Amino acid sequence: MLDYIWGLLMIISVICGAINGKLFDVSQAALDGAANAVQLLIGMLGMMSFWSGLMNISDEGGATALLSKALAPVLSRLFPDYENGGSVMQAICANITANFMGLGNSATPLGIRAMKEMQRLNHGSTSANNSMIRFVVLNTASIQLVPTFVSVIRKNYGARSPLDILPCVFVSSAFGVIVGISCCILFEKRKKHG
Amino acid sequence: MDRIGDYIIPIMIFVIVIFGLIRKVPIFDAFVKGAKDGLAATYSISASLIGLVTAVTMLKSSGALDMIITAVSPLAQAVKIPAQIIPLMILKPISGSGSTAMLTEILSTNGADSFIGRVAAVMAGSTETTFYAIAVYYGAIGIKNIRHTLAAAILADLASMAAAIVTVRFFFGG
């Protein structure tokens, strides 16, 4: 997928550059773009690793486990099939919590573990069951305590207070999750009646 | 609203350090370990980010990006979305690095504290790389029929994006 997108961006740039008589700017941009990207990355390295370090302190202190326990009642309502499923529910809670804490690196392996547990109880079907769909939709809509990555980028581009968008991000992502789960419930019902 | 943003970092640092000490975490060791992971994570995205930031910079300088924005602006105006945001909305579900590159382009053109800059950042922060997540999770367990996953996920993304515009307008005006 990305092969086509990246290729398309470059090809369009060269063609439009030629049409608009801006090929000189395009060649300049090719050189500058790479340098800018490295500058952005250097600007991000410090803050991203500082924040990951802080989050690891709370993780090692058991914050993730505590939060996961607090979320369990809510999540077991969303995944009634696995209410008493032990390891499935644990994996689901761990993944959602890791996402919330912004521990992206550990969230994905935990998510895959949850999917594997669900597939084990799915009798080897190649069709996704309702719980899997709810789980994937929860993962495609992100709820994060602190949107670190975006804030660091905003900081790099001169935002006075990079985290001032926090309430907006919170409301927007929560709304996305609500709509996503509501859609799942509606689609599930339609399937049953149709 | 500025206040929350100004205070959240010191408050979180304070709470996390106290929490770590109470729970008897070797806080500096834990910090260093996590920070290493953060460095590694940033490093691991660097090559694709270089590729895509360069591509988006070229797209901008060739005049193509402005042509795309002009082309979609009647449609965007009809649904009350700033036209400059549309390229980000298209890229976001498909590519993490691509949308990051587009976000940096929007911030450098419009400013991080502009209405458009804020909307772009909120959109980027409140959605995920949907197609990637679907591919990874279903790919890992060999699911072929994903049923209504894509429809629900895309509707959720659209809802978050619409909410981004509404909330930024509500909290910051514009």
Side-chain angles (χ1 to χ4, degrees):
Chain A
M1 185 84 156
L2 209 50
D3 294 332
Y4 294 111
I5 295 170
W6 191 66
L8 205 65
L9 289 175
M10 307 286 252
I11 291 168
I12 292 175
S13 304
V14 174
I15 293 175
C16 283
I19 293 171
N20 295 333
K22 286 184 168 175
L23 272 182
F24 175 74
D25 302 79
V26 174
S27 87
Q28 214 57 31
L31 301 170
D32 290 346
N36 289 344
V38 172
Q39 225 159 29
L40 172 73
L41 282 162
I42 289 172
M44 282 165 57
L45 270 176
M47 198 51 205
M48 285 303 287
S49 67
F50 178 75
W51 204 254
S52 302
L54 271 185
M55 280 308 181
N56 195 47
I57 295 176
S58 59
D59 189 33
E60 287 195 9
T64 318
L66 286 173
L67 202 61
S68 177
K69 236 179 223 164
L71 275 177
V74 184
L75 287 172
S76 61
R77 297 200 68 168
L78 271 181
F79 300 95
D81 293 352
Y82 307 119
E83 207 173 353
N84 307 310
S87 59
V88 183
M89 220 40 232
Q90 255 174 30
I92 291 174
C93 290
N95 162 270
I96 302 292
T97 314
N99 271 325
F100 183 72
M101 303 274 288
L103 303 165
N105 281 346
S106 48
T108 308
L110 286 169
I112 290 173
R113 209 178 76 203
M115 289 297 276
K116 283 193 170 142
E117 295 280 333
M118 284 189 258
Q119 178 66 354
R120 207 164 46 83
L121 304 172
N122 197 25
H123 313 297
S125 167
T126 56
S127 183
N129 66 27
N130 289 344
S131 300
M132 290 178 181
I133 297 176
R134 288 184 182 192
F135 180 74
V136 172
V137 169
L138 270 186
N139 265 278
T140 61
S142 78
I143 290 204
Q144 224 185 82
L145 183 61
V146 181
T148 326
F149 189 73
V150 166
S151 312
V152 171
I153 293 174
R154 290 193 72 218
K155 172 91 188 147
N156 266 286
Y157 285 89
R160 200 193 67 78
S161 177
L163 280 168
D164 62 6
I165 57 166
L166 204 75
C168 302
V169 174
F170 228 79
V171 173
S172 302
S173 49
F175 185 60
V177 168
I178 291 167
V179 168
I181 293 299
S182 308
C183 286
C184 283
I185 294 169
L186 283 176
F187 283 124
E188 286 162 16
K189 280 200 176 134
R190 206 184 57 177
K191 182 81 183 174
K192 229 181 272 171
H193 294 307
Chain B
M1 209 33 63
D2 279 356
R3 287 287 154 79
I4 296 176
D6 286 347
Y7 296 158
I8 185 139
I9 292 179
I11 289 172
M12 286 209 50
I13 292 174
F14 182 80
V15 169
I16 288 172
V17 170
I18 297 273
F19 175 77
L21 288 173
I22 290 173
R23 306 278 290 192
K24 298 205 166 51
V25 176
I27 54 170
F28 193 69
D29 279 352
F31 170 80
V32 170
K33 197 163 151 271
K36 267 187 194 159
D37 288 347
L39 283 178
T42 313
Y43 177 75
S44 73
I45 61 162
S46 55
S48 58
L49 204 57
I50 289 171
L52 282 150
V53 168
T54 307
V56 170
T57 313
M58 285 168 66
L59 196 71
K60 167 80 182 172
S61 68
S62 69
L65 192 58
D66 290 331
M67 285 161 77
I68 294 169
I69 290 170
T70 313
V72 297
S73 73
L75 186 75
Q77 260 164 9
V79 284
K80 296 202 179 342
I81 295 171
Q84 295 93 320
I85 301 287
I86 304 273
L88 176 69
M89 291 177 70
I90 296 168
L91 271 179
K92 180 66 204 186
I94 304 169
S95 158
S97 296
S99 60
T100 302
M102 195 55 80
L103 174 65
T104 61
E105 205 292 311
I106 291 173
L107 294 187
S108 72
T109 305
N110 300 279
D113 286 331
S114 65
F115 174 69
I116 289 174
R118 280 203 173 98
V119 169
V122 174
M123 277 183 185
S126 60
T127 56
E128 271 290 333
T129 317
T130 300
F131 286 89
Y132 173 78
I134 290 175
V136 167
Y137 284 138
Y138 285 133
I141 56 169
I143 291 285
K144 304 241 156 37
N145 179 7
I146 67 166
R147 296 170 54 214
H148 55 264
T149 309
L150 191 61
I154 291 294
L155 285 168
D157 282 347
L158 285 174
S160 289
M161 289 171 171
I165 298 172
V166 174
T167 51
V168 171
R169 192 161 278 150
F170 177 78
F171 284 113
F172 299 99

